[in-house]
């Protein structure tokens, strides 16, 4: 079985400040790791994924996440956030069989 | 690419009626589609896994006769909420896995179901 723990349910930050959204997981099998973003009343959009290779993955809008196998973590970071980054962020793991487990989500609120 | 269309985006219905939600992969073939339910301020709860041409696999606690899933083609899966009641009101999200892809799921925009 897999589980995902997002350590912070809410993260308020000021615009242009750095932010880190934490994600830890546990699994008895190999998994792929994902971060999704959800805006109000919308579905999930894929933000980042780690499938293999370099442990540091980056998105086109400045987010990055690093897979740390020893700490079973996949924390999401951004050096300078914008108002438009305000959203719900979900960390997820997916097994080879394709079954996904999501964390409870972190609400990122960027204040001016 | 990899766009998933979910329709309708919002539906309001009377208690006792049935509601059908469609999930289509527009530009790729999806052998597997997933249906999730999301309560306010909560995470996604997997309801069922839908494989093209076969019966859906439901998660524990999800009523098969209540939530009918059909995956008739490689680009379409439907979820029918039968005899809907107010407690079925929720946000339903589908996702599709790219055929031959690396377990990446592409999500629809969701359907807000409100049962009066």
């Amino acid at each position: 079985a897999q589980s995902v723990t997002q350590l912070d349910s809410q993260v308020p930050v000021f615009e242009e400040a750095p932010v880190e959204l934490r994600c830890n997981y546990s699994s008895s099998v190999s998994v792929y790791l994902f971060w999704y973003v959800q805006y109000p009343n919308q579905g999930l959009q894929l933000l980042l994924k780690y499938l293999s290779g370099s442990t540091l993955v980056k998105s086109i809008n400045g987010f990055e996440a690093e897979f740390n196998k020893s700490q079973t973590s996949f924390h999401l970071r951004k050096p300078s956030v914008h108002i438009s980054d305000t959203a719900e962020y979900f960390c997820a793991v997916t097994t080879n069989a394709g079954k996904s487990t999501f964390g409870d989500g972190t609400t990122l609120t960027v204040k001016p | 690419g990899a766009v998933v269309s979910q329709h309708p985006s919002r539906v309001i219905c009377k208690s006792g009626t049935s509601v059908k939600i469609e999930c289509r992969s527009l530009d790729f073939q999806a052998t597997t589609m997933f249906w999730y339910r999301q309560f306010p301020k909560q995470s996604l709860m997997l309801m069922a896994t839908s494989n093209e041409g076969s019966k859906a696999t439901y998660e524990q606690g999800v009523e098969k006769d209540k939530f009918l899933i059909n995956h008739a083609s490689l680009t379409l899966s439907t979820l029918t909420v039968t005899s809907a009641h107010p407690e079925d009101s929720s946000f339903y999200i589908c996702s599709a896995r790219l055929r031959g892809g690396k377990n990446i799921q592409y999500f629809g925009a969701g359907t807000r179901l409100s049962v009066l």
Side-chain angles (χ1 to χ4, degrees), chain A residues 11-76:
Chain A
V11 174
V13 293
F14 287 105
E15 193 173 18
E16 297 184 3
V19 71
E20 179 180 74
L21 308 183
R22 297 178 292 170
C23 172
N24 286 94
Y25 70 95
S26 68
S27 177
S28 56
V29 299
S30 296
V31 292
Y32 304 104
L33 297 155
F34 301 85
W35 275 101
Y36 293 92
V37 58
Q38 184 181 33
Y39 298 99
N41 293 310
Q42 294 187 29
L44 274 66
Q45 299 174 32
L46 179 64
L47 185 62
L48 290 168
K49 61 182 184 292
Y50 172 77
L51 305 178
S52 65
S54 173
T55 57
L56 181 65
V57 291
K58 299 182 179 183
S59 73
I60 59 173
N61 57 353
F63 283 95
E64 63 178 38
E66 186 158 20
F67 169 54
N68 188 317
K69 190 174 182 178
S70 62
Q71 297 186 6
T72 60
S73 68
F74 191 53
H75 300 334
L76 180 69

Side-chain angles (χ1 to χ4, degrees), chain A residues 32 34 36 38 41-46 49 51-52 88 90 94-100 102-105 107, chain B residues 9-10 32 34 36 38 41-46 49 59 91 93 97 102-110 112:
Chain A
Y32 304 104
F34 301 85
Y36 293 92
Q38 184 181 33
N41 293 310
Q42 294 187 29
L44 274 66
Q45 299 174 32
L46 179 64
K49 61 182 184 292
L51 305 178
S52 65
E88 190 81 13
F90 291 96
T94 301
T95 66
N96 268 326
K99 190 166 182 178
S100 295
F102 290 81
D104 288 338
T107 303
Chain B
S9 59
R10 185 179 181 92
T32 304
F34 303 89
Y36 295 88
Q38 186 180 32
K41 303 295 183 183
Q42 293 188 27
S43 188
L44 280 70
M45 181 188 77
L46 179 65
T49 301
E59 295 299 301
F91 195 54
I93 305 176
R97 190 169 71 196
K102 293 186 177 181
N103 288 313
I104 298 173
Q105 292 182 47
Y106 297 92
F107 286 82
R112 174 73 59 193

Side-chain angles (χ1 to χ4, degrees), chain B residues 15-62:
Chain B
S15 184
T17 61
S18 294
V19 175
K20 180 185 282 188
I21 303 170
E22 292 188 349
C23 182
R24 293 180 184 271
S25 56
L26 297 185
D27 51 0
F28 66 99
Q29 292 183 332
T31 51
T32 304
M33 290 185 172
F34 303 89
W35 287 96
Y36 295 88
R37 185 172 180 177
Q38 186 180 32
F39 292 101
K41 303 295 183 183
Q42 293 188 27
S43 188
L44 280 70
M45 181 188 77
L46 179 65
M47 298 174 65
T49 301
S50 168
N51 291 297
E52 186 265 336
S54 62
K55 290 182 179 180
T57 302
Y58 290 81
E59 295 299 301
Q60 192 173 9
V62 178

